[in-house]
Amino acid sequence: MLPRPLRLLLDASPPGGVVLSSFRSRDPEEDGGLGAQGVGGGQEEEEEEEEEEVPVSVWDEEEDGATFTVTSYQYQPLDPLAPTPPPRSSRRLRAGTLEALVKHLLDARTSGADVTFTSTFLATHQAFTSTSALLGLIADRLEALESHPTDELERTTGVAISVLSTWLASHPEDFGSEVKGQLDRLESFLLRTGYAAGEGVGGCSAELIRNLRSRVDPQAPDLPKPLAPPGDPPADPTDVLVFLADHLAEQLTLLDAELFLKLVPSQCLGGLWGHRDRPGHSHLCPSVRATVTQFNKVAGAVVSSVLGATSAGEGLEEVTIRPLRPPQRARLLEKWIRVAEECRLLRNFSSVYAVVSALQSSPIHRLRAAWGETARDSLRVFSSLCQIFSEEDNYSQSRELLLQEVKLQPPLEPNSKKSPRSGSRGGGVVPYLGTFLKDLVMLDAASKDELENGYINFDKRRKEFAVLSELRQLQNKCRGYDLRPDPDIQQWLQGLRPLTEAQSHRVSCEVEPPGISDPPAPRVLRPTLVISQWTEVLGSVGGPTPFVSWDRPSMGGDEVPGTPAPLLARLAQVTSQDKAPSVISRVLEKNNRDSAVASEYELVQLLPGERELTIPPSANVFYAMDGASHDFLLRQRRRPSAATVVLTSGPSASGTPPSEGGGGSFPRIKATGRKIARALF
């Protein structure tokens, strides 16, 4: 047989043809999902990698309001004496105006030259335009071609029908009543040109219009389920001991899986989810909010049951406490640890993290007597579960474990005494959504929406689409569950009424007062608004939300914090030109606070050894972040008898009980430096 380079040169196939030089059989059942790689590669795979075409040059080209990145590939033969075929070039759109993007979308050559453009555009378009505006631009493009040659009109109309069919099949939630006017325009065009009557390439257009109209017609919204049936007393949280751990884990997984399958991936985009707290945006991302609510509900159930407290309202006095001894609370701790372990075996990472973060929260973490009565085996399991969600290396361990779980035969964990169950429960997976939300918000902050010339930065959308594709693949895996609802457990879960942050803190101090003989915990100011050179989300999916609030620091060991309305803090991106006043103003704006009062705040850097450094107004915050500490807080300038506002944050990474009995707040949030940001982007 002739060498491959010579076969390429002598091939008589038409331009654009593909020459099959070799092949390797693949198992049809082999999973091609997240991080999946072929098996049995060996030396043959290494040779294939060496035979790959390599890029030799990259440049940009401008064309009709769009910028294309052109890459020239050159085949590198293994035999240096073999003839070298000419280089091959490929183009893909990097940025452009909205009109140019729509023109590229309807270009018949796009599907072959830029295979991911259409999928990326449809999945992320709501970050830079609306569905109604996009349909209007498609109608404009088609109507403008009515005076052009018939073949061009027919070709573009066929692409438009294909795009609309793909759009409706992949993202039906995009089509609401607001697009009715543009849909009328499209139908009128199809009728005018004869495609709606089944002529030409538009034979399926009539059915497409009917399907679109069925989505546009108003439908009754799904009302959220009440926490408890009206008039019924709240459920007793300590009844968790009545249920078997594996049965409770199955019901939590059933609820989480239903919500994850209903999740709309595009609602996770940083440009949408990151702005959910702005005025007038309360309607955004309903499917993500439902997942957040469920996460917080599970975490609240853990806290309420371990404290043995039932809430009848939001007031501090509206709490009923069941008298429990430390050994009894230890049994509740052990129960929830077993539930988390069962959720782990079911690959339900959402409920695992909800339970673990609740057990790490301040009201539970500080219960030294209860933790001291907990069995060693349970503590070891709890420690291993905490390690799964360690923040080290950007949650690398939980990411790697998730990749393993989506394969057909996931390996067993070394610390687990049980094997993952399949059988009647199926083999689905539910991820912790907060990891993906954080990635998307980081992407949104790291890249600009538009270039300096006003073009839409489509390369940013490609990166976002890669994350959304992972969510889509995980949703397909999630369909593998085969679980049945348990009415008793479902009713108990629906009847729970979680405690507020202030209620949880007060009950915890009543259950186990801070030890008088214990050395006092150091008075460390905790950051209210953390400044970072890359964006991280507090409570991306709760984190958990019930445990993130604005409280006044306790002046004494038994004082209960105040109860201002809960507020999530988001981080601010800092450039090398930012001085302290501009950083303070921007952080206040990002957290929906009046930037006009920025002069009343000061920026403080937290240094090792419990020291502080107040950043002067003329100082450059960016260079302060290159120092020994990346931890900052924003507080009101010190005044006599003025209370400092602090933010308590998510759970500690430790899986063991605290060494100090009086610790009543969460560990300080650590901001991540620029090395990780560079590695990610």
Side-chain angles (χ1 to χ4, degrees):
M1 180 179 291
L2 295 174
R4 181 187 178 196
L6 192 56
R7 293 199 309 272
L8 292 175
L9 289 173
L10 298 179
D11 178 62
S13 60
V18 178
V19 178
L20 177 64
S21 60
S22 64
F23 74 95
R24 180 169 58 88
S25 61
R26 298 292 296 272
D27 183 359
E29 299 298 328
E30 180 181 329
D31 182 48
L34 303 177
Q37 297 179 354
V39 293
Q43 182 66 26
E44 185 176 340
E45 279 193 357
E46 293 182 4
E47 289 187 3
E48 283 297 323
E49 291 180 0
E50 293 181 5
E51 291 180 358
E52 290 287 341
E53 293 177 319
V54 295
V56 293
S57 59
V58 180
W59 67 93
D60 287 343
E61 291 181 353
E62 292 283 337
E63 180 182 312
D64 297 334
T67 301
F68 293 85
T69 297
V70 184
T71 305
S72 177
Y73 294 92
Q74 179 64 62
Y75 169 73
Q76 301 292 338
L78 296 177
D79 185 1
L81 300 180
T84 302
R88 178 184 64 85
S89 298
S90 67
R91 288 203 328 166
R92 74 174 198 169
L93 189 142
R94 183 171 73 87
T97 63
L98 182 56
E99 292 76 11
L101 264 61
V102 172
K103 181 180 178 181
H104 191 63
L105 178 71
L106 300 180
D107 192 332
R109 298 168 296 178
T110 299
S111 59
D114 193 351
V115 293
T116 63
F117 178 83
T118 300
S119 300
T120 303
F121 187 92
L122 296 179
T124 64
H125 76 277
Q126 293 196 17
F128 52 86
T129 188
S130 65
T131 299
S132 178
L134 178 54
L135 288 173
L137 288 173
I138 292 176
D140 291 342
R141 175 66 178 162
L142 294 176
E143 291 170 353
L145 293 175
E146 287 191 68
S147 58
H148 286 227
T150 305
D151 57 342
E152 182 179 359
L153 174 62
E154 181 173 324
R155 184 168 56 250
T156 304
T157 303
V159 174
I161 293 174
S162 175
V163 168
L164 289 173
S165 300
T166 302
W167 191 359
L168 179 61
S170 303
H171 311 281
E173 65 281 347
D174 290 348
F175 298 92
S177 58
E178 68 278 359
V179 305
K180 186 177 184 302
Q182 302 302 338
L183 190 58
D184 291 340
R185 288 184 60 193
L186 288 171
E187 184 177 21
S188 175
F189 167 81
L190 294 174
L191 289 172
R192 226 174 26 249
T193 54
Y195 293 109
E199 301 175 10
V201 299
C204 60
S205 60
E207 182 180 358
L208 171 63
I209 293 296
R210 286 196 298 270
N211 293 336
L212 286 171
R213 289 206 176 278
S214 67
R215 290 291 310 179
V216 169
D217 292 337
Q219 301 175 355
D222 294 332
L223 299 178
K225 297 180 181 179
L227 291 179
D232 287 359
D236 185 352
T238 60
D239 282 348
V240 65
L241 296 173
V242 176
F243 308 114
L244 295 176
D246 58 339
H247 290 183
L248 180 54
E250 289 177 3
Q251 297 308 303
L252 292 176
T253 302
L254 179 62
L255 295 173
D256 291 336
E258 288 178 354
L259 289 173
F260 184 58
L261 289 175
K262 294 178 181 178
L263 176 75
V264 179
S266 61
Q267 294 180 5
C268 299
L269 289 170
L272 300 179
W273 176 247
H275 301 159
R276 67 195 180 280
D277 292 330
R278 293 184 177 181
H281 289 185
S282 59
H283 65 286
L284 294 178
C285 314
S287 65
V288 183
R289 292 178 187 269
T291 303
V292 172
T293 301
Q294 171 64 14
F295 182 97
N296 295 333
K297 195 173 181 180
V298 174
V302 176
V303 173
S304 299
S305 61
V306 175
L307 294 177
T310 303
S311 174
E314 297 184 358
L316 294 178
E317 306 299 332
E318 299 180 88
V319 179
T320 303
I321 305 175
R322 176 188 290 267
L324 298 174
R325 293 179 289 107
Q328 294 173 310
R329 297 189 196 280
R331 302 295 81 77
L332 288 163
L333 291 172
E334 294 168 0
K335 182 72 170 188
W336 280 112
I337 292 172
R338 288 198 299 273
V339 171
E341 185 181 22
E342 291 291 339
C343 287
R344 165 65 191 92
L345 297 176
L346 282 165
R347 294 168 290 276
N348 179 5
F349 292 94
S350 182
S351 283
V352 172
Y353 190 43
V355 174
V356 168
S357 61
L359 294 176
Q360 291 177 322
S361 68
S362 174
I364 307 302
H365 190 64
R366 62 174 297 278
L367 299 178
R368 298 176 61 198
W371 284 105
E373 297 286 345
T374 305
R376 290 178 178 271
D377 287 346
S378 295
L379 291 177
R380 279 194 291 268
V381 172
F382 180 50
S383 180
S384 65
L385 293 175
C386 291
Q387 283 299 114
I388 293 177
F389 296 99
S390 171
E391 296 181 5
E392 185 177 357
D393 293 336
N394 195 24
Y395 297 93
S396 61
Q397 185 164 347
S398 62
R399 293 174 188 270
E400 293 173 3
L401 188 59
L402 183 61
L403 293 181
Q404 293 177 4
E405 291 295 356
V406 298
K407 297 181 180 179
L408 292 178
Q409 298 294 334
L412 297 180
E413 290 184 62
N415 295 331
S416 177
K417 298 181 180 179
K418 303 179 181 180
S419 60
R421 303 182 183 182
S422 55
S424 62
R425 304 203 297 184
V429 60
V430 179
Y432 168 56
L433 189 58
T435 303
F436 297 91
L437 292 174
K438 188 179 77 169
D439 289 348
L440 289 167
V441 174
M442 287 168 55
L443 278 170
D444 183 61
S447 304
K448 294 182 178 180
D449 292 333
E450 296 181 352
L451 303 184
E452 294 181 358
N453 58 4
Y455 286 2
I456 295 172
N457 183 5
F458 200 75
D459 272 352
K460 173 180 179 177
R461 306 306 165 193
R462 294 183 190 272
K463 296 175 183 178
E464 292 176 329
F465 178 69
V467 180
L468 299 184
S469 297
E470 292 182 6
L471 283 174
R472 285 283 188 186
Q473 294 177 31
L474 287 169
Q475 284 180 316
N476 291 333
K477 287 288 182 181
C478 186
R479 304 180 198 280
Y481 286 117
D482 183 16
L483 302 171
R484 299 292 181 268
D486 185 318
D488 294 333
I489 297 179
Q490 296 280 351
Q491 184 177 1
W492 178 75
L493 290 171
Q494 291 294 328
L496 291 174
R497 293 179 182 174
L499 303 175
T500 65
E501 169 76 9
Q503 288 174 336
S504 300
H505 181 88
R506 176 168 181 172
V507 172
S508 179
C509 290
E510 289 183 7
V511 165
E512 206 169 298
I516 300 177
S517 60
D518 293 336
R523 294 280 313 278
V524 179
L525 290 175
R526 304 193 178 278
T528 59
L529 301 171
V530 183
I531 315 301
S532 174
Q533 286 165 296
W534 64 298
T535 300
E536 186 176 23
V537 179
L538 283 177
S540 293
V541 61
T545 301
F547 307 129
V548 182
S549 64
W550 293 86
D551 290 329
R552 299 182 182 277
S554 178
M555 296 297 106
D558 299 324
E559 187 176 349
V560 179
T563 58
L567 175 65
L568 294 181
R570 287 179 300 281
L571 314 186
Q573 192 175 18
V574 178
T575 69
S576 59
Q577 305 299 320
D578 287 331
K579 301 295 179 66
S582 63
V583 171
I584 293 173
S585 298
R586 192 157 65 251
V587 173
L588 290 173
E589 289 177 356
K590 288 179 72 67
N591 289 273
N592 301 323
R593 295 191 163 220
D594 188 3
S595 60
V597 299
S599 60
E600 301 178 7
Y601 289 84
E602 62 183 0
L603 187 62
V604 179
Q605 185 176 21
L606 304 180
L607 301 175
E610 303 175 16
R611 295 175 297 145
E612 296 180 1
L613 174 63
T614 302
I615 306 298
S618 59
N620 192 310
V621 181
F622 181 87
Y623 295 106
M625 298 185 71
D626 281 339
S629 173
H630 291 149
D631 297 334
F632 291 77
L633 65 86
L634 189 65
R635 68 183 178 201
Q636 288 185 318
R637 296 186 181 276
R638 299 186 182 277
R639 297 175 182 175
S641 69
T644 304
V645 179
V646 303
L647 172 68
T648 57
S649 138
S652 68
S654 171
T656 58
S659 58
E660 303 296 340
S665 56
F666 290 91
R668 184 166 64 238
I669 302 169
K670 296 293 183 181
T672 307
R674 291 173 298 175
K675 289 185 179 179
I676 293 181
R678 289 199 188 104
L680 289 173
F681 313 112

